[in-house]
Amino acid sequence: TDALSAEKRLDIDVVRAVHELATEGFGFPYGDVAILNNNWSYRNSPYAVAQNVGAFFETPSFLDTIHSITTAVDAEAYLARMDAYAHQLDGETARIRADAGRGVVLPDFLLTKTLQQLRVSRGAPFAQWGIVTSLATRAAHANLNARYAADAVQIAEQRIAPALDRQIAALAALQPRATSDAGVWKLPRGEDYYAWALRAGTTTAMTPDEVHKMGLEELHSLHARMDPILRSIGYTQGSVGARMTALAKDPRYKFAEGDRGRAEIMAFIKEKLSDIRARVPRAFHTITRGYLEVVRVSPDIEDGAPLGSGGAGTIDGKEPGHFWINLRNPDLHRKFDLPDLTYHEAIPGHVWQGEYTFHQPLIRSILAFNAYSEGWALYAQQLADELGVYDEFPAGRLGYFQSLAFRACRLVVDTGLHAKRWTRTQGIDFFVRENGSNPDAVQSEVDRYCAWPGQACGYKVGHSTINRLRERAKTALGPRYVFASFNDAVVTGGSVPMTVLGRVIDAYVAWAQG
């Protein structure tokens, strides 16, 4: 590589890092290894299927939101993918059985949740399945032949439903063997697996003990910043976590119940997106489109889905990015924390950052690193604060700090579950006690860590790395440091391991020094 440009050497280092991490992951004879940058590339899992892993969870969402239908060729391709979906389910079912033979079985609480979601997906009349109605609606809008809807029903009934039945049967057969042990320590080579998952999730060489300690230290620091704000708005008694719990009960920050509350949430998000769009030009010299739509997580899978998720649209610009919001219960969200979630998932977070990758070489645009993408999304929340969104809304700044503290808690809980043998209940209680988190929301969070070990640690590790590099750039550049130029350097450099991001910023500093 010596004869190549610095830019090309960086591309090669990024691609090499992806494949080295993936090769090591494939060395374990079970689970699912993430490589490509689709909507679910950010997680590795020791399980072929879980409440948030597998074709039943991912493929219908892909077909509905990413696969466009404007021509007959598109509709035929959609039907072909529906048929392939059945094959995909059967392949995973074979892996479930093979992994079970190696002693890899979902914890009982995840197995129950997964089966419930599968049965809901399977139980609706075929003509009402989301993947069927999505095709039917969009084909009709494009004035295509009505037979496509009938063909979709036929594939659902004859191919997909039997495959779902086989997967349900395979998982149900494992229930007598499932235990409540939450962590991967229980699996074959479990400690080695978690060490790898942590390296993959953070793209660092940090050990579980180092990550656990970092989480406790970050949490303490953030609580020290939250305390005076809480006091300023009248919350003076009890721990920071207890006071945040009390704040969450304040009716001023709640949304209404039921569909009225869901409508309020969607309108609230729209308002925040409009406001942040007007502010981001102050934080970047290179502006991207921010093409997105806000979509409710399908009720079929919302019990196992996170509170929100986001990603950029298609590289050709035809399909928008998405901010998927979980609306199974409006009480999951508060007016002081929903703005922060919006900045994280949409603008200037995942949707915004993802669009910059479209200008990378093709291989770079389809590869991603969890610590970078999630670290950027936390940094995006920080940018929103630095752009003044909370200057007249101190409770909103508390929501932002609580979100960062939440990610610090993740470092503690993820390593607690998988390296220190915590129970699921211990993980939930830690969140509620230390961060004042919603117990209902936290239950799904902890379940997520059980299925995606290491992934949740990438957020705060990535965020802290970006800020450490920012301070380094400020020191090196002095009066030549420019806020927007630094942000451009981080986001236009593309998704990279944390071990490589330092080189990207060093190149920016050298350029800025002239």
Side-chain angles (χ1 to χ4, degrees), residues 154-189:
Q154 185 176 32
I155 293 172
E157 181 176 3
Q158 297 180 6
R159 303 281 293 115
I160 299 173
L164 284 170
D165 289 339
R166 289 187 286 271
Q167 189 160 107
I168 290 168
L171 287 168
L174 298 178
Q175 285 186 295
R177 296 176 51 185
T179 71
S180 61
D181 294 331
V184 296
W185 55 264
K186 66 179 182 179
L187 304 178
R189 294 180 59 205

PDB file of all heavy atoms in Angstrom, residues 154-189:
ATOM      1  N   GLN A 154     -50.847 -15.410  -2.067  1.00  0.00           N
ATOM      2  CA  GLN A 154     -50.545 -16.820  -2.322  1.00  0.00           C
ATOM      3  C   GLN A 154     -49.174 -17.208  -1.754  1.00  0.00           C
ATOM      4  O   GLN A 154     -49.028 -18.270  -1.124  1.00  0.00           O
ATOM      5  CB  GLN A 154     -50.583 -17.097  -3.823  1.00  0.00           C
ATOM      6  CG  GLN A 154     -50.406 -18.571  -4.185  1.00  0.00           C
ATOM      7  CD  GLN A 154     -50.539 -18.811  -5.677  1.00  0.00           C
ATOM      8  OE1 GLN A 154     -50.192 -17.952  -6.478  1.00  0.00           O
ATOM      9  NE2 GLN A 154     -51.054 -19.964  -6.050  1.00  0.00           N
ATOM     10  N   ILE A 155     -48.169 -16.357  -1.953  1.00  0.00           N
ATOM     11  CA  ILE A 155     -46.840 -16.658  -1.408  1.00  0.00           C
ATOM     12  C   ILE A 155     -46.875 -16.643   0.114  1.00  0.00           C
ATOM     13  O   ILE A 155     -46.262 -17.492   0.776  1.00  0.00           O
ATOM     14  CB  ILE A 155     -45.811 -15.638  -1.945  1.00  0.00           C
ATOM     15  CG1 ILE A 155     -45.628 -15.812  -3.450  1.00  0.00           C
ATOM     16  CG2 ILE A 155     -44.464 -15.808  -1.241  1.00  0.00           C
ATOM     17  CD1 ILE A 155     -44.768 -14.719  -4.092  1.00  0.00           C
ATOM     18  N   ALA A 156     -47.598 -15.684   0.683  1.00  0.00           N
ATOM     19  CA  ALA A 156     -47.715 -15.626   2.139  1.00  0.00           C
ATOM     20  C   ALA A 156     -48.332 -16.907   2.689  1.00  0.00           C
ATOM     21  O   ALA A 156     -47.862 -17.469   3.689  1.00  0.00           O
ATOM     22  CB  ALA A 156     -48.539 -14.407   2.545  1.00  0.00           C
ATOM     23  N   GLU A 157     -49.389 -17.360   2.030  1.00  0.00           N
ATOM     24  CA  GLU A 157     -50.111 -18.539   2.526  1.00  0.00           C
ATOM     25  C   GLU A 157     -49.338 -19.829   2.280  1.00  0.00           C
ATOM     26  O   GLU A 157     -49.246 -20.684   3.181  1.00  0.00           O
ATOM     27  CB  GLU A 157     -51.474 -18.619   1.856  1.00  0.00           C
ATOM     28  CG  GLU A 157     -52.317 -19.805   2.315  1.00  0.00           C
ATOM     29  CD  GLU A 157     -53.695 -19.813   1.704  1.00  0.00           C
ATOM     30  OE1 GLU A 157     -53.988 -18.925   0.860  1.00  0.00           O
ATOM     31  OE2 GLU A 157     -54.497 -20.704   2.058  1.00  0.00           O
ATOM     32  N   GLN A 158     -48.768 -19.985   1.106  1.00  0.00           N
ATOM     33  CA  GLN A 158     -48.183 -21.274   0.721  1.00  0.00           C
ATOM     34  C   GLN A 158     -46.705 -21.400   1.062  1.00  0.00           C
ATOM     35  O   GLN A 158     -46.205 -22.520   1.206  1.00  0.00           O
ATOM     36  CB  GLN A 158     -48.392 -21.497  -0.779  1.00  0.00           C
ATOM     37  CG  GLN A 158     -49.853 -21.592  -1.182  1.00  0.00           C
ATOM     38  CD  GLN A 158     -50.037 -21.823  -2.677  1.00  0.00           C
ATOM     39  OE1 GLN A 158     -49.070 -22.030  -3.415  1.00  0.00           O
ATOM     40  NE2 GLN A 158     -51.286 -21.780  -3.137  1.00  0.00           N
ATOM     41  N   ARG A 159     -45.984 -20.270   1.175  1.00  0.00           N
ATOM     42  CA  ARG A 159     -44.548 -20.359   1.378  1.00  0.00           C
ATOM     43  C   ARG A 159     -44.118 -19.787   2.724  1.00  0.00           C
ATOM     44  O   ARG A 159     -43.407 -20.440   3.478  1.00  0.00           O
ATOM     45  CB  ARG A 159     -43.820 -19.598   0.250  1.00  0.00           C
ATOM     46  CG  ARG A 159     -44.161 -20.096  -1.149  1.00  0.00           C
ATOM     47  CD  ARG A 159     -43.374 -21.381  -1.479  1.00  0.00           C
ATOM     48  NE  ARG A 159     -41.963 -21.056  -1.580  1.00  0.00           N
ATOM     49  CZ  ARG A 159     -41.014 -21.514  -0.745  1.00  0.00           C
ATOM     50  NH1 ARG A 159     -41.333 -22.323   0.237  1.00  0.00           N
ATOM     51  NH2 ARG A 159     -39.757 -21.181  -0.888  1.00  0.00           N
ATOM     52  N   ILE A 160     -44.550 -18.557   3.034  1.00  0.00           N
ATOM     53  CA  ILE A 160     -44.035 -17.898   4.237  1.00  0.00           C
ATOM     54  C   ILE A 160     -44.677 -18.454   5.500  1.00  0.00           C
ATOM     55  O   ILE A 160     -43.982 -18.740   6.490  1.00  0.00           O
ATOM     56  CB  ILE A 160     -44.241 -16.375   4.151  1.00  0.00           C
ATOM     57  CG1 ILE A 160     -43.480 -15.813   2.938  1.00  0.00           C
ATOM     58  CG2 ILE A 160     -43.760 -15.694   5.420  1.00  0.00           C
ATOM     59  CD1 ILE A 160     -43.743 -14.341   2.662  1.00  0.00           C
ATOM     60  N   ALA A 161     -46.006 -18.611   5.499  1.00  0.00           N
ATOM     61  CA  ALA A 161     -46.688 -19.106   6.703  1.00  0.00           C
ATOM     62  C   ALA A 161     -46.172 -20.473   7.139  1.00  0.00           C
ATOM     63  O   ALA A 161     -45.891 -20.672   8.337  1.00  0.00           O
ATOM     64  CB  ALA A 161     -48.199 -19.141   6.463  1.00  0.00           C
ATOM     65  N   PRO A 162     -46.007 -21.455   6.250  1.00  0.00           N
ATOM     66  CA  PRO A 162     -45.437 -22.736   6.690  1.00  0.00           C
ATOM     67  C   PRO A 162     -44.025 -22.584   7.246  1.00  0.00           C
ATOM     68  O   PRO A 162     -43.657 -23.286   8.208  1.00  0.00           O
ATOM     69  CB  PRO A 162     -45.451 -23.588   5.418  1.00  0.00           C
ATOM     70  CG  PRO A 162     -46.546 -23.012   4.581  1.00  0.00           C
ATOM     71  CD  PRO A 162     -46.486 -21.533   4.843  1.00  0.00           C
ATOM     72  N   ALA A 163     -43.231 -21.683   6.669  1.00  0.00           N
ATOM     73  CA  ALA A 163     -41.876 -21.465   7.182  1.00  0.00           C
ATOM     74  C   ALA A 163     -41.920 -20.852   8.578  1.00  0.00           C
ATOM     75  O   ALA A 163     -41.128 -21.219   9.464  1.00  0.00           O
ATOM     76  CB  ALA A 163     -41.089 -20.576   6.226  1.00  0.00           C
ATOM     77  N   LEU A 164     -42.844 -19.907   8.791  1.00  0.00           N
ATOM     78  CA  LEU A 164     -43.017 -19.349  10.135  1.00  0.00           C
ATOM     79  C   LEU A 164     -43.460 -20.430  11.115  1.00  0.00           C
ATOM     80  O   LEU A 164     -42.986 -20.482  12.263  1.00  0.00           O
ATOM     81  CB  LEU A 164     -44.037 -18.208  10.100  1.00  0.00           C
ATOM     82  CG  LEU A 164     -43.561 -16.878   9.535  1.00  0.00           C
ATOM     83  CD1 LEU A 164     -44.741 -15.924   9.341  1.00  0.00           C
ATOM     84  CD2 LEU A 164     -42.517 -16.229  10.443  1.00  0.00           C
ATOM     85  N   ASP A 165     -44.369 -21.296  10.676  1.00  0.00           N
ATOM     86  CA  ASP A 165     -44.823 -22.387  11.544  1.00  0.00           C
ATOM     87  C   ASP A 165     -43.658 -23.280  11.947  1.00  0.00           C
ATOM     88  O   ASP A 165     -43.558 -23.706  13.112  1.00  0.00           O
ATOM     89  CB  ASP A 165     -45.892 -23.224  10.837  1.00  0.00           C
ATOM     90  CG  ASP A 165     -47.221 -22.491  10.692  1.00  0.00           C
ATOM     91  OD1 ASP A 165     -47.455 -21.532  11.462  1.00  0.00           O
ATOM     92  OD2 ASP A 165     -48.019 -22.880   9.813  1.00  0.00           O
ATOM     93  N   ARG A 166     -42.768 -23.578  11.005  1.00  0.00           N
ATOM     94  CA  ARG A 166     -41.616 -24.432  11.323  1.00  0.00           C
ATOM     95  C   ARG A 166     -40.669 -23.727  12.302  1.00  0.00           C
ATOM     96  O   ARG A 166     -40.119 -24.371  13.198  1.00  0.00           O
ATOM     97  CB  ARG A 166     -40.881 -24.806  10.027  1.00  0.00           C
ATOM     98  CG  ARG A 166     -41.651 -25.793   9.156  1.00  0.00           C
ATOM     99  CD  ARG A 166     -40.835 -26.283   7.972  1.00  0.00           C
ATOM    100  NE  ARG A 166     -40.678 -25.287   6.917  1.00  0.00           N
ATOM    101  CZ  ARG A 166     -41.519 -25.130   5.903  1.00  0.00           C
ATOM    102  NH1 ARG A 166     -42.612 -25.896   5.808  1.00  0.00           N
ATOM    103  NH2 ARG A 166     -41.293 -24.220   4.966  1.00  0.00           N
ATOM    104  N   GLN A 167     -40.509 -22.418  12.137  1.00  0.00           N
ATOM    105  CA  GLN A 167     -39.637 -21.693  13.060  1.00  0.00           C
ATOM    106  C   GLN A 167     -40.248 -21.620  14.458  1.00  0.00           C
ATOM    107  O   GLN A 167     -39.552 -21.792  15.472  1.00  0.00           O
ATOM    108  CB  GLN A 167     -39.355 -20.283  12.531  1.00  0.00           C
ATOM    109  CG  GLN A 167     -38.287 -19.560  13.321  1.00  0.00           C
ATOM    110  CD  GLN A 167     -37.681 -18.414  12.544  1.00  0.00           C
ATOM    111  OE1 GLN A 167     -37.951 -17.256  12.849  1.00  0.00           O
ATOM    112  NE2 GLN A 167     -36.854 -18.716  11.544  1.00  0.00           N
ATOM    113  N   ILE A 168     -41.537 -21.378  14.521  1.00  0.00           N
ATOM    114  CA  ILE A 168     -42.227 -21.354  15.814  1.00  0.00           C
ATOM    115  C   ILE A 168     -42.094 -22.703  16.509  1.00  0.00           C
ATOM    116  O   ILE A 168     -41.810 -22.781  17.717  1.00  0.00           O
ATOM    117  CB  ILE A 168     -43.708 -20.971  15.616  1.00  0.00           C
ATOM    118  CG1 ILE A 168     -43.824 -19.490  15.219  1.00  0.00           C
ATOM    119  CG2 ILE A 168     -44.522 -21.254  16.875  1.00  0.00           C
ATOM    120  CD1 ILE A 168     -45.200 -19.088  14.723  1.00  0.00           C
ATOM    121  N   ALA A 169     -42.282 -23.786  15.768  1.00  0.00           N
ATOM    122  CA  ALA A 169     -42.182 -25.122  16.354  1.00  0.00           C
ATOM    123  C   ALA A 169     -40.775 -25.394  16.871  1.00  0.00           C
ATOM    124  O   ALA A 169     -40.592 -25.980  17.957  1.00  0.00           O
ATOM    125  CB  ALA A 169     -42.583 -26.175  15.326  1.00  0.00           C
ATOM    126  N   ALA A 170     -39.754 -24.980  16.113  1.00  0.00           N
ATOM    127  CA  ALA A 170     -38.374 -25.212  16.536  1.00  0.00           C
ATOM    128  C   ALA A 170     -38.056 -24.469  17.825  1.00  0.00           C
ATOM    129  O   ALA A 170     -37.392 -24.999  18.724  1.00  0.00           O
ATOM    130  CB  ALA A 170     -37.412 -24.797  15.430  1.00  0.00           C
ATOM    131  N   LEU A 171     -38.518 -23.223  17.930  1.00  0.00           N
ATOM    132  CA  LEU A 171     -38.267 -22.442  19.146  1.00  0.00           C
ATOM    133  C   LEU A 171     -39.077 -22.975  20.323  1.00  0.00           C
ATOM    134  O   LEU A 171     -38.578 -23.072  21.451  1.00  0.00           O
ATOM    135  CB  LEU A 171     -38.585 -20.971  18.894  1.00  0.00           C
ATOM    136  CG  LEU A 171     -37.586 -20.214  18.013  1.00  0.00           C
ATOM    137  CD1 LEU A 171     -38.153 -18.862  17.592  1.00  0.00           C
ATOM    138  CD2 LEU A 171     -36.256 -20.017  18.732  1.00  0.00           C
ATOM    139  N   ALA A 172     -40.332 -23.320  20.077  1.00  0.00           N
ATOM    140  CA  ALA A 172     -41.176 -23.838  21.163  1.00  0.00           C
ATOM    141  C   ALA A 172     -40.595 -25.119  21.737  1.00  0.00           C
ATOM    142  O   ALA A 172     -40.696 -25.368  22.954  1.00  0.00           O
ATOM    143  CB  ALA A 172     -42.596 -24.078  20.653  1.00  0.00           C
ATOM    144  N   ALA A 173     -39.976 -25.931  20.902  1.00  0.00           N
ATOM    145  CA  ALA A 173     -39.384 -27.187  21.376  1.00  0.00           C
ATOM    146  C   ALA A 173     -38.224 -26.952  22.337  1.00  0.00           C
ATOM    147  O   ALA A 173     -37.849 -27.857  23.100  1.00  0.00           O
ATOM    148  CB  ALA A 173     -38.903 -28.013  20.182  1.00  0.00           C
ATOM    149  N   LEU A 174     -37.659 -25.744  22.329  1.00  0.00           N
ATOM    150  CA  LEU A 174     -36.514 -25.443  23.197  1.00  0.00           C
ATOM    151  C   LEU A 174     -36.931 -24.884  24.554  1.00  0.00           C
ATOM    152  O   LEU A 174     -36.078 -24.722  25.439  1.00  0.00           O
ATOM    153  CB  LEU A 174     -35.594 -24.429  22.502  1.00  0.00           C
ATOM    154  CG  LEU A 174     -34.958 -24.883  21.189  1.00  0.00           C
ATOM    155  CD1 LEU A 174     -34.125 -23.761  20.592  1.00  0.00           C
ATOM    156  CD2 LEU A 174     -34.105 -26.121  21.403  1.00  0.00           C
ATOM    157  N   GLN A 175     -38.201 -24.594  24.739  1.00  0.00           N
ATOM    158  CA  GLN A 175     -38.621 -23.965  25.992  1.00  0.00           C
ATOM    159  C   GLN A 175     -38.256 -24.774  27.243  1.00  0.00           C
ATOM    160  O   GLN A 175     -37.836 -24.188  28.241  1.00  0.00           O
ATOM    161  CB  GLN A 175     -40.121 -23.664  25.949  1.00  0.00           C
ATOM    162  CG  GLN A 175     -40.446 -22.456  25.067  1.00  0.00           C
ATOM    163  CD  GLN A 175     -41.896 -22.041  25.119  1.00  0.00           C
ATOM    164  OE1 GLN A 175     -42.775 -22.784  24.688  1.00  0.00           O
ATOM    165  NE2 GLN A 175     -42.165 -20.847  25.630  1.00  0.00           N
ATOM    166  N   PRO A 176     -38.373 -26.110  27.217  1.00  0.00           N
ATOM    167  CA  PRO A 176     -37.974 -26.854  28.425  1.00  0.00           C
ATOM    168  C   PRO A 176     -36.488 -26.720  28.758  1.00  0.00           C
ATOM    169  O   PRO A 176     -36.090 -26.958  29.910  1.00  0.00           O
ATOM    170  CB  PRO A 176     -38.333 -28.310  28.074  1.00  0.00           C
ATOM    171  CG  PRO A 176     -39.388 -28.202  27.023  1.00  0.00           C
ATOM    172  CD  PRO A 176     -39.011 -26.991  26.224  1.00  0.00           C
ATOM    173  N   ARG A 177     -35.669 -26.364  27.784  1.00  0.00           N
ATOM    174  CA  ARG A 177     -34.228 -26.260  28.001  1.00  0.00           C
ATOM    175  C   ARG A 177     -33.783 -24.855  28.370  1.00  0.00           C
ATOM    176  O   ARG A 177     -32.637 -24.648  28.794  1.00  0.00           O
ATOM    177  CB  ARG A 177     -33.468 -26.703  26.746  1.00  0.00           C
ATOM    178  CG  ARG A 177     -33.659 -28.158  26.386  1.00  0.00           C
ATOM    179  CD  ARG A 177     -32.953 -28.510  25.094  1.00  0.00           C
ATOM    180  NE  ARG A 177     -31.551 -28.092  25.087  1.00  0.00           N
ATOM    181  CZ  ARG A 177     -30.743 -28.201  24.044  1.00  0.00           C
ATOM    182  NH1 ARG A 177     -31.201 -28.681  22.896  1.00  0.00           N
ATOM    183  NH2 ARG A 177     -29.481 -27.806  24.123  1.00  0.00           N
ATOM    184  N   ALA A 178     -34.646 -23.873  28.201  1.00  0.00           N
ATOM    185  CA  ALA A 178     -34.254 -22.476  28.411  1.00  0.00           C
ATOM    186  C   ALA A 178     -34.140 -22.162  29.897  1.00  0.00           C
ATOM    187  O   ALA A 178     -34.924 -22.651  30.717  1.00  0.00           O
ATOM    188  CB  ALA A 178     -35.272 -21.549  27.760  1.00  0.00           C
ATOM    189  N   THR A 179     -33.150 -21.352  30.239  1.00  0.00           N
ATOM    190  CA  THR A 179     -32.954 -20.903  31.620  1.00  0.00           C
ATOM    191  C   THR A 179     -33.074 -19.379  31.664  1.00  0.00           C
ATOM    192  O   THR A 179     -33.152 -18.707  30.632  1.00  0.00           O
ATOM    193  CB  THR A 179     -31.573 -21.310  32.148  1.00  0.00           C
ATOM    194  OG1 THR A 179     -30.562 -20.519  31.483  1.00  0.00           O
ATOM    195  CG2 THR A 179     -31.301 -22.799  31.886  1.00  0.00           C
ATOM    196  N   SER A 180     -33.037 -18.831  32.854  1.00  0.00           N
ATOM    197  CA  SER A 180     -33.123 -17.380  33.009  1.00  0.00           C
ATOM    198  C   SER A 180     -31.750 -16.716  32.982  1.00  0.00           C
ATOM    199  O   SER A 180     -31.652 -15.500  33.182  1.00  0.00           O
ATOM    200  CB  SER A 180     -33.832 -17.038  34.321  1.00  0.00           C
ATOM    201  OG  SER A 180     -33.120 -17.557  35.425  1.00  0.00           O
ATOM    202  N   ASP A 181     -30.676 -17.464  32.738  1.00  0.00           N
ATOM    203  CA  ASP A 181     -29.335 -16.879  32.651  1.00  0.00           C
ATOM    204  C   ASP A 181     -29.296 -15.899  31.483  1.00  0.00           C
ATOM    205  O   ASP A 181     -29.532 -16.275  30.327  1.00  0.00           O
ATOM    206  CB  ASP A 181     -28.278 -17.966  32.454  1.00  0.00           C
ATOM    207  CG  ASP A 181     -28.150 -18.880  33.662  1.00  0.00           C
ATOM    208  OD1 ASP A 181     -28.412 -18.401  34.782  1.00  0.00           O
ATOM    209  OD2 ASP A 181     -27.799 -20.063  33.482  1.00  0.00           O
ATOM    210  N   ALA A 182     -28.967 -14.650  31.765  1.00  0.00           N
ATOM    211  CA  ALA A 182     -29.108 -13.592  30.764  1.00  0.00           C
ATOM    212  C   ALA A 182     -27.870 -13.403  29.900  1.00  0.00           C
ATOM    213  O   ALA A 182     -27.982 -12.974  28.757  1.00  0.00           O
ATOM    214  CB  ALA A 182     -29.439 -12.269  31.467  1.00  0.00           C
ATOM    215  N   GLY A 183     -26.692 -13.698  30.422  1.00  0.00           N
ATOM    216  CA  GLY A 183     -25.462 -13.341  29.743  1.00  0.00           C
ATOM    217  C   GLY A 183     -24.895 -14.435  28.862  1.00  0.00           C
ATOM    218  O   GLY A 183     -25.223 -15.624  29.007  1.00  0.00           O
ATOM    219  N   VAL A 184     -23.971 -14.041  27.954  1.00  0.00           N
ATOM    220  CA  VAL A 184     -23.356 -15.014  27.056  1.00  0.00           C
ATOM    221  C   VAL A 184     -22.273 -15.829  27.753  1.00  0.00           C
ATOM    222  O   VAL A 184     -21.730 -16.754  27.144  1.00  0.00           O
ATOM    223  CB  VAL A 184     -22.764 -14.327  25.803  1.00  0.00           C
ATOM    224  CG1 VAL A 184     -23.866 -13.693  24.984  1.00  0.00           C
ATOM    225  CG2 VAL A 184     -21.698 -13.308  26.163  1.00  0.00           C
ATOM    226  N   TRP A 185     -21.960 -15.512  28.987  1.00  0.00           N
ATOM    227  CA  TRP A 185     -20.996 -16.322  29.735  1.00  0.00           C
ATOM    228  C   TRP A 185     -21.420 -17.787  29.793  1.00  0.00           C
ATOM    229  O   TRP A 185     -20.592 -18.692  29.933  1.00  0.00           O
ATOM    230  CB  TRP A 185     -20.828 -15.770  31.153  1.00  0.00           C
ATOM    231  CG  TRP A 185     -22.130 -15.632  31.922  1.00  0.00           C
ATOM    232  CD1 TRP A 185     -22.896 -14.521  32.044  1.00  0.00           C
ATOM    233  CD2 TRP A 185     -22.803 -16.659  32.652  1.00  0.00           C
ATOM    234  NE1 TRP A 185     -24.015 -14.771  32.797  1.00  0.00           N
ATOM    235  CE2 TRP A 185     -23.980 -16.078  33.196  1.00  0.00           C
ATOM    236  CE3 TRP A 185     -22.534 -17.991  32.926  1.00  0.00           C
ATOM    237  CZ2 TRP A 185     -24.885 -16.805  33.971  1.00  0.00           C
ATOM    238  CZ3 TRP A 185     -23.435 -18.712  33.700  1.00  0.00           C
ATOM    239  CH2 TRP A 185     -24.594 -18.116  34.221  1.00  0.00           C
ATOM    240  N   LYS A 186     -22.726 -18.034  29.650  1.00  0.00           N
ATOM    241  CA  LYS A 186     -23.251 -19.394  29.758  1.00  0.00           C
ATOM    242  C   LYS A 186     -23.006 -20.216  28.489  1.00  0.00           C
ATOM    243  O   LYS A 186     -23.186 -21.435  28.497  1.00  0.00           O
ATOM    244  CB  LYS A 186     -24.759 -19.345  30.023  1.00  0.00           C
ATOM    245  CG  LYS A 186     -25.564 -18.777  28.854  1.00  0.00           C
ATOM    246  CD  LYS A 186     -27.052 -18.757  29.106  1.00  0.00           C
ATOM    247  CE  LYS A 186     -27.801 -18.232  27.888  1.00  0.00           C
ATOM    248  NZ  LYS A 186     -29.250 -18.215  28.075  1.00  0.00           N
ATOM    249  N   LEU A 187     -22.627 -19.552  27.385  1.00  0.00           N
ATOM    250  CA  LEU A 187     -22.494 -20.221  26.094  1.00  0.00           C
ATOM    251  C   LEU A 187     -21.120 -20.866  25.945  1.00  0.00           C
ATOM    252  O   LEU A 187     -20.183 -20.532  26.679  1.00  0.00           O
ATOM    253  CB  LEU A 187     -22.715 -19.220  24.958  1.00  0.00           C
ATOM    254  CG  LEU A 187     -24.039 -18.454  24.969  1.00  0.00           C
ATOM    255  CD1 LEU A 187     -24.085 -17.471  23.813  1.00  0.00           C
ATOM    256  CD2 LEU A 187     -25.219 -19.416  24.918  1.00  0.00           C
ATOM    257  N   PRO A 188     -20.951 -21.779  24.995  1.00  0.00           N
ATOM    258  CA  PRO A 188     -19.627 -22.343  24.729  1.00  0.00           C
ATOM    259  C   PRO A 188     -18.637 -21.222  24.380  1.00  0.00           C
ATOM    260  O   PRO A 188     -18.942 -20.365  23.556  1.00  0.00           O
ATOM    261  CB  PRO A 188     -19.857 -23.270  23.524  1.00  0.00           C
ATOM    262  CG  PRO A 188     -21.314 -23.607  23.582  1.00  0.00           C
ATOM    263  CD  PRO A 188     -21.994 -22.399  24.142  1.00  0.00           C
ATOM    264  N   ARG A 189     -17.499 -21.204  25.051  1.00  0.00           N
ATOM    265  CA  ARG A 189     -16.492 -20.147  24.871  1.00  0.00           C
ATOM    266  C   ARG A 189     -17.124 -18.766  25.087  1.00  0.00           C
ATOM    267  O   ARG A 189     -16.806 -17.797  24.399  1.00  0.00           O
ATOM    268  CB  ARG A 189     -15.848 -20.222  23.480  1.00  0.00           C
ATOM    269  CG  ARG A 189     -15.025 -21.465  23.229  1.00  0.00           C
ATOM    270  CD  ARG A 189     -14.433 -21.453  21.822  1.00  0.00           C
ATOM    271  NE  ARG A 189     -13.584 -20.278  21.606  1.00  0.00           N
ATOM    272  CZ  ARG A 189     -13.332 -19.757  20.407  1.00  0.00           C
ATOM    273  NH1 ARG A 189     -13.865 -20.298  19.321  1.00  0.00           N
ATOM    274  NH2 ARG A 189     -12.541 -18.695  20.297  1.00  0.00           N
TER     275      ARG A 189
END
